[in-house]
């Protein structure tokens, strides 16, 4: 199995996907002690992660961490696109520094639209909606890939540690793939890692909230981050924690530095073996690795390194289209766009696929199937905040007390409220856009 971030396949079996790619399960202990956990986290829409436990730890302790995500400005923004920004806004409330990349270079390279068009979609669709949904300008930067010299430079520099076999194995590129497309994963890696450069806040845990189709980019970024480290901290075969210098220059200085840092962390029983470029930490155990690694990473810029920590990620499920197929901008009847006129949105809801039975009689007797219902999915992902209320909808549906007609009306009313509210807030947002732009 391969995940192709540019294909239009739908994902069905999220559990299999998770297991096959070593994505970790997004379990309750990762969110239940955070303030006001977001419904997408509580309800398992975010179903997988990489290294969220580190983010959880930093958020709880009020230590600095960052969010970096991107938007593809190749069309109008619909409810499927809303999920990432809902997550981002939640993480902003937890104290994260927010960075958002407008993937104009990627849209140009892979979707064949002009940079001019991408600008319009970003400035007239995405950014006003982000603000309307509640994104705050404090500690928040939105930038265009094409305008960000540091990101582009980093992409070029990071490319030195990736070879063509790795790219073809990850993305299935072929001889006819255009070179700009081939560069775009490196630009995305530049996006993801640039927030750890000194001038953008320095080495710190970074979380990338995305749809699971983006996992190849996450894996690439994690590999590249690791490849640029000066130190490697691991458990050795004889079960000790070892700090290894990965480069051949200034080995003595780097070992001295590691020794000093370990001493500060109260590890004093150290054994240095210079031929192995190694320092064994006798009192440390596996649980100390993250702490040691972080302290060493912070010092790497002093020695000409980057100290990039591997970026973490959360992965959300995709919404099904209202028609029961994939939700897609190219099929307007499958999606509710945030700029849809209320009447259009209501019509789409009235025509949506439900989990209702073939007749009212049968539905009263046997109940409906919320798991197969696009209306229920709207409630679940976007329209109902309260978990109890959602549960009541579920039970009244499966028990045959709730009928689809009224249920759709309820969804239509809630959508109307949301769209009208967003429209008002978008109008108010327009004059504030500059505050967000990098
Ligand atoms: N490739 C992403 C998409 O197709 C957009 C994107 C660009 C992105 N840079 C990013 C996502 C960095 C996450 C992190 O939607
Ligand atoms: Fe869906 Fe509501 Fe019908 Fe149940 S009653 S199948 S939730 S539309």
């Amino acid at each position: 199995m391969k995940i192709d971030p540019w294909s239009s396949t739908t994902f069905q079996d999220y559990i299999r996907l998770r297991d096959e790619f070593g994505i970790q399960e997004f379990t309750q202990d990762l969110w239940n002690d955070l303030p006001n956990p977001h419904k997408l986290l509580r309800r398992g829409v975010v179903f997988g992660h990489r290294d969220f436990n580190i983010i959880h730890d930093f958020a709880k302790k009020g230590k600095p961490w960052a969010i970096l995500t991107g938007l593809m400005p190749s069309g109008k923004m619909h409810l499927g696109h809303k999920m990432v920004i809902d997550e981002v806004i939640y993480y902003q409330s937890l104290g994260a520094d927010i960075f958002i990349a407008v993937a104009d270079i990627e849209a140009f390279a892979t979707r064949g639209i002009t940079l001019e068009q991408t600008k319009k979609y970003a400035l007239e669709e995405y950014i006003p909606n982000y603000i309307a949904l509640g994104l705050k300008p404090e500690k928040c930067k939105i930038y265009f890939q094409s305008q960000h010299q540091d990101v582009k430079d980093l992409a070029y520099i990071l490319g030195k540690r990736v070879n063509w076999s790795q790219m073809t194995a990850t993305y299935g590129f072929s001889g006819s793939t255009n070179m700009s497309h081939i560069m775009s994963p490196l630009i995305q890696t530049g996006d993801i890692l640039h927030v750890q450069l000194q001038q953008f806040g320095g080495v710190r845990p970074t979380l990338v909230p995305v749809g699971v189709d983006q996992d190849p980019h996450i894996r690439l970024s994690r590999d590249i981050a690791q490849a640029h480290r000066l130190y490697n901290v691991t458990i050795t075969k004889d079960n000790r924690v070892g700090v290894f210098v990965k480069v051949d220059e200034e080995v003595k200085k780097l070992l001295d530095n590691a020794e000093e840092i370990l001493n500060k962390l109260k590890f004093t029983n150290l054994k240095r073996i210079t031929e192995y470029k190694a320092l064994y930490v006798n009192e440390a155990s596996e649980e100390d690795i993250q702490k040691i690694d972080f302290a060493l990473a912070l010092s790497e810029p002093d020695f000409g390194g980057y100290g990039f920590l591997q970026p973490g990620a959360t992965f959300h499920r995709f919404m099904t289209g209202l028609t029961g197929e994939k939700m897609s901008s190219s099929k307007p009847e499958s999606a509710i766009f945030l700029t849809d006129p209320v009447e259009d949105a209501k019509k789409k809801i009235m025509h949506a696929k439900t989990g209702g039975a073939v007749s009212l009689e049968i539905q009263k007797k046997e109940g409906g199937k919320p798991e197969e219902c696009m209306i229920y999915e709207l409630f679940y992902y976007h329209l109902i905040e309260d978990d109890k209320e959602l549960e009541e909808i579920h039970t009244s549906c499966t028990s045959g007390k709730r009928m689809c007609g009224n249920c759709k009306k309820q969804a239509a009313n809630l959508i109307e409220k949301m769209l009208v509210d967003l429209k008002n807030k978008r109008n108010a947002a327009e004059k504030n856009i500059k505050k967000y732009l990098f």
Side-chain angles (χ1 to χ4, degrees), residues 51 54-55 58 62-68 95-99 139-141 191-208 225 229 290 293-295 297-299 301 306-312:
D51 282 353
I54 299 177
I55 298 297
F58 272 60
K63 297 202 252 174
W65 56 290
I67 289 286
L68 177 295
D97 297 330
I98 310 293
F99 296 83
K139 294 211 300 177
C140 176
K141 286 191 179 72
D191 287 330
I192 293 173
L193 295 181
H194 93 279
V195 308
Q196 294 191 68
L197 296 174
Q198 298 306 297
Q199 65 271 39
F200 298 105
V203 171
R204 63 208 187 290
T206 308
L207 180 74
V208 187
R229 288 293 303 275
Q290 190 203 314
D293 185 58
F294 180 52
L298 280 175
S299 76
Y306 291 105
F308 291 138
L309 302 176
Q310 289 190 306

Side-chain angles (χ1 to χ4, degrees), residues 68-72 101 103 106 145 188 191-192 208 210 214 217:
L68 177 295
T69 192
L71 63 95
M72 175 61 88
E106 184 183 359
Q145 287 177 328
Q188 183 152 344
D191 287 330
I192 293 173
V208 187
V210 279
Q214 298 293 305
H217 301 313

Side-chain angles (χ1 to χ4, degrees), residues 179 293 316 351 359 393:
M179 285 305 298
D293 185 58
H316 67 73
H351 290 128
S359 72
I393 293 177

Side-chain angles (χ1 to χ4, degrees), residues 80-137:
H81 302 128
K82 175 172 167 284
M83 290 187 272
V84 160
I85 195 64
D86 283 343
E87 255 192 274
V88 168
I89 291 166
Y90 174 62
Y91 299 131
Q92 187 173 44
S93 79
L94 299 183
D97 297 330
I98 310 293
F99 296 83
I100 299 170
V102 178
D104 58 346
I105 295 186
E106 184 183 359
F108 167 75
T110 66
R111 306 275 168 103
I113 59 177
T114 65
L115 290 178
E116 270 311 299
Q117 277 171 304
T118 63
K119 203 168 174 178
K120 248 178 114 71
Y121 284 128
L123 293 175
E124 290 170 21
E125 275 278 326
Y126 281 86
I127 301 176
N129 276 314
Y130 283 14
I131 301 174
L133 286 163
L135 188 69
K136 301 272 179 309

Side-chain angles (χ1 to χ4, degrees), residues 320-331:
T320 320
L322 296 170
T323 47
E325 286 143 37
K326 196 188 147 116
M327 180 173 288
S328 157
S329 308
S330 55
K331 281 181 258 147

Side-chain angles (χ1 to χ4, degrees), residues 354-356 363 368-370 373-376 379 393 397-398 402-405 407-408:
T354 71
Q363 188 159 343
K369 297 193 177 104
C373 175
M374 302 310 119
I375 301 298
Y376 186 71
F379 291 144
I393 293 177
C397 172
T398 52
R402 173 180 277 267
M403 294 296 126
C404 297
C407 198
K408 282 176 165 175

Side-chain angles (χ1 to χ4, degrees), residues 79 336-350 378-379 382-383 407-426:
L79 286 179
I336 291 176
F337 296 94
L338 302 192
T339 47
D340 267 348
V342 169
E343 286 318 308
D344 292 9
K346 284 185 159 176
K347 246 186 238 145
K348 291 181 198 179
I349 286 185
M350 289 306 169
L378 286 176
F379 291 144
H382 297 287
L383 297 178
C407 198
K408 282 176 165 175
K409 271 188 207 134
Q410 184 184 357
N413 288 336
L414 289 171
I415 269 288
E416 171 164 17
K417 255 203 213 134
M418 175 191 272
L419 294 181
V420 170
D421 178 52
L422 283 176
K423 188 173 180 186
N424 293 333
K425 289 182 176 158
R426 268 199 310 271

